[in-house]
């Protein structure tokens, strides 16, 4: 029973640990493809162009919007972020489960265009822990941390739009839970219509 790839949207407050989780998920299990977004935010120390993000100028980003090269984009804390179209479509065609690690406005736009997309929300165990993780990165100014905490207050209002929430307390447990959800999603009847039809034909002796 092999069906086509699932478009998986993973959102969660900045600092919830989505990046690390997604890296582990892709390392531990086959069949995933992690989309790399474009952004106008400056690279953090250690980030590389084409690995964490495609780092673009505003002008370059706006050209991609005009060329319809992004399947969605949003502004977040003063910067553009968007998902390149080519990679996502190519990987889905090849049967891979494509992960988009994007914020909530982007998640809504994806659900409108791809109603079958699976929407997951990753949360830290507590607000205090979120603050600790954001400060612990050591790469963000106090102002940016405060801005991201305020943004989390807004994003928390939209959590019910997601199909599953996962608490990132222990990394390995969380990775297994995420993989379990995706595996289960592959087994719903709506994603297996061809197989069901084939079985029906066989049972009828056709
Ligand atoms: P950060 O600056 O911490 O890397 O990302 C800030 C926020 O932008 C995160 O919530 C992240 O999930 C989101 N984000 C990253 N890439 C994209 C994208 O392509 N589209 C949208 N809509 N959000 C994104």
């Amino acid at each position: 029973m092999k069906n086509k790839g699932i478009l998986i949207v993973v959102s969660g407050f900045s600092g919830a640990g989505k990046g690390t989780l997604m890296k582990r998920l892709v390392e531990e299990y086959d069949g995933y493809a992690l989309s790399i977004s474009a952004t106008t935010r400056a690279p953090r120390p250690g980030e590389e162009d084409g690995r964490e993000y495609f780092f673009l100028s505003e002008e370059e980003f706006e050209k991609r919007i005009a060329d319809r090269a992004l399947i969605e984009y949003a502004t977040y804390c003063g910067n553009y972020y968007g998902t390149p179209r080519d990679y996502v479509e190519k990987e889905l065609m090849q049967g891979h489960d494509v992960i988009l690690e994007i914020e909530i406005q982007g998640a809504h736009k994806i659900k409108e265009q791809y109603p079958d997309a699976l929407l997951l929300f990753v949360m830290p165990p507590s607000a205090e822990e979120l603050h600790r993780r954001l400060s612990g990165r050591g790469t963000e100014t106090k102002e940016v941390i405060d801005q991201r905490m305020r943004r989390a207050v807004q994003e928390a209002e939209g959590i019910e739009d997601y199909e599953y929430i996962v608490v990132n307390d222990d990394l390995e447990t969380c990775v297994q839970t995420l993989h379990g959800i995706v595996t289960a999603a592959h087994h719903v009847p709506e994603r297996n219509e061809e197989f069901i039809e084939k079985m029906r034909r066989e049972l009828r002796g056709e």
Side-chain angles (χ1 to χ4, degrees):
M1 201 170 84
K2 176 74 191 127
N3 48 29
K4 63 178 187 205
I6 300 179
L7 187 55
I8 306 164
V9 174
V10 180
S11 303
F13 315 132
S14 175
K18 292 168 304 212
T20 316
L21 276 170
M22 294 311 113
K23 264 184 215 142
R24 289 295 297 150
L25 185 66
V26 171
E27 276 165 19
E28 268 180 51
Y29 299 98
D30 292 331
Y32 288 105
L34 188 54
S35 162
I36 301 170
S37 296
T39 184
T40 56
R41 116 157 136 58
R44 294 189 186 119
E47 285 185 337
E48 260 178 45
D49 187 43
R51 192 179 65 191
E52 280 77 14
Y53 283 104
F54 296 106
F55 295 100
L56 305 180
S57 66
E58 253 182 51
E59 208 181 345
E60 288 167 329
F61 198 101
E62 283 167 359
K63 171 139 190 350
R64 306 241 169 151
I65 300 173
D67 292 346
R68 303 181 52 78
L70 304 172
I71 51 176
E72 64 74 38
Y73 69 93
T75 50
Y76 176 96
C77 296
N79 288 299
Y80 279 130
Y81 292 83
T83 308
R85 182 184 303 279
D86 289 0
Y87 179 82
V88 171
E89 294 188 344
K90 184 186 89 202
E91 293 293 327
L92 285 176
M93 290 274 285
Q94 289 177 3
H96 296 144
D97 294 330
V98 180
I99 304 170
L100 309 183
E101 193 212 307
I102 64 179
E103 53 66 69
I104 210 158
Q105 307 164 63
H108 286 138
K109 290 186 205 153
I110 292 292
K111 195 71 184 175
E112 281 164 20
Q113 291 175 68
Y114 301 85
D116 284 351
L118 180 66
L119 267 54
L120 314 179
F121 198 94
V122 177
M123 286 210 265
S126 67
E128 196 189 341
E129 176 62 17
L130 183 67
H131 195 274
R132 198 168 23 244
R133 289 183 193 174
L134 279 172
S135 324
R137 267 182 189 166
T139 54
E140 248 87 52
T141 59
K142 182 177 180 304
E143 198 187 335
V144 169
I145 295 168
D146 290 348
Q147 196 182 20
R148 287 177 177 237
M149 287 300 290
R150 281 197 300 276
R151 177 71 186 211
V153 176
Q154 287 172 13
E155 293 202 328
E157 292 303 313
I159 295 174
E160 281 89 348
D161 298 337
Y162 287 76
E163 282 144 291
Y164 294 91
I165 59 163
V166 183
V167 176
N168 182 16
D169 196 348
D170 175 67
L171 181 72
E172 286 309 316
T173 311
C174 193
V175 168
Q176 281 173 26
T177 304
L178 287 166
H179 182 64
I181 292 169
V182 175
T183 305
H186 272 286
H187 290 265
V188 301
E190 292 76 13
R191 289 199 177 89
N192 292 281
E193 279 166 358
E194 267 179 39
F195 181 78
I196 296 168
E197 273 314 312
K198 174 179 158 291
M199 179 62 72
R200 286 181 177 143
R201 281 196 303 275
E202 285 175 11
L203 288 168
R204 290 194 298 259
E206 292 168 13

